[in-house]
Amino acid sequence: MKRVLIITYYWPPSGGSGVQRWLKMSKYLPENGWQPVIYTPEEGEFPIIDTSLEKDVSPEAEVIRRPIVEPYTLYKRFLGVKETETVKAGFIKENGEKAGWKEKLSLWIRGNCFIPDARCWWVKPSVRYLKSYLKEHPVDAIISTGPPHSMHLIAMKLKEALGIPWIADFRDPWTEIDYYNDLHLTRWADRKHHRLEREVLTLADKVVTVAPDGARRLGRLGNRNVRTIYNGFDRDNNATATIVPPSDKFILTYLGVLSRNQNPEKLWQGLGELIKENTDFSKHLTINMIGQIDNSAVKSIQENGLGNHVTFRPYVPHEQVAQVHRNSTVLLLMLMPDSEPRAKGLLTGKLFEYLASGRPILCIGPEDGDAAHILQETQAGTTVSFEDKEKMKEVVKDLYQRYLEGNLPSNRNDEIEKYSRKALAEEYAKLLDKNSEIRM
């Protein structure tokens, strides 16, 4: 069996979206002739802990954990916050949170002194350790996955030193990430970010990302073709889609992180109007908001009279997600407004798990984006622009009427199966087979 070194910051017990792609890919790679060798921090600063994910670690995987030094402990002490509190990406405050001078200084230091991210101190010791390890335990290929993009710098140094074929896997952008312009970068820091990004994009043997629009964007930055291999769903965690069961509640559910630029204000306005226009709808409506929800969304929901209809819950273990889906009437997918540069290419991991559930999906985002294309292809839901409140109301009213009639659509479609993790791991293995031939 060939061996592939996977350099990833996120690994169980880390929870959340960042861990899913390579936890699941590595689970199915051995079926396709590749043993995963995972290189990951011993104790990272993970925003979410989910020990239930440890059961998905492949028994074939070799996991190497190494100590990491990060600035987060110093950051928390400087601000006087609890050690147990999590730090948001880029040290960015939520909308509505006033940043004091300490927060502003910390953000400036983070943006200009920790490049490309707060894990940059791990690059040199990791390269030193892995150069020695790989001489005694050779691998046939390397995959680095970011963010954090420091993982790519580790792989780039190993590629330069040992000549091992390398795939740079981008789960999210680098200089086009949503909060990049909020980092208060100096011109020097901005140039360094772009230089490092360009080096990764040009020196990697292959570059892979999760959505077609993102592939085009990265391709332009690196002047090369970038491959799309989607995120997906795992049938081991998601039972075969079932029809929507009868219920005395019309339950709209959102799971995951909802940032301020994903907050669908028009949806909350439309729902607020519907509960005033239709007393039966008001009686039946329940909104579940599960995960890390930005204060701007909480405020919008309250301002539109939906406070008595909504329940906010923290992150739930991944093993419980499928049951949450099955207990829902409609699943909400909030992307970004068309005005956001990467809105069309935003394909969150939750989209694919939504697909597996069989529940109708209401997506708020670009109607000509990658997510809209997949929903149309699989007949799994409807996409509505962020600004089109009237269309949102019409879609919700139609779904509600079908709920009352007991004939809500179920997206049990054969087209969905090509987005299974098993199928996508097979696709990645073929790329690894081809890429490893570079060294032969």
Side-chain angles (χ1 to χ4, degrees), residues 225-243:
N225 291 326
V226 174
R227 176 78 173 270
T228 298
I229 298 181
Y230 296 98
N231 288 309
F233 62 86
D234 191 349
R235 277 293 179 212
D236 284 356
N237 301 121
N238 296 272
T240 303
T242 59
I243 61 172

Side-chain angles (χ1 to χ4, degrees), residues 294-348:
D294 189 79
N295 287 341
S296 62
V298 177
K299 183 179 178 181
S300 296
I301 288 169
Q302 300 290 347
E303 288 177 346
N304 285 285
L306 298 168
N308 292 332
H309 298 269
V310 67
T311 299
F312 292 98
R313 294 172 58 191
Y315 175 88
V316 298
H318 194 259
E319 63 182 359
Q320 298 177 20
V321 167
Q323 187 60 50
V324 172
H325 291 162
R326 286 193 291 271
N327 291 341
S328 303
T329 313
V330 177
L331 298 173
L332 299 175
L333 181 65
M334 277 67 128
L335 301 180
M336 291 181 185
D338 291 46
S339 58
E340 293 287 339
R342 70 183 187 100
K344 290 184 179 181
L346 190 59
L347 283 180
T348 60

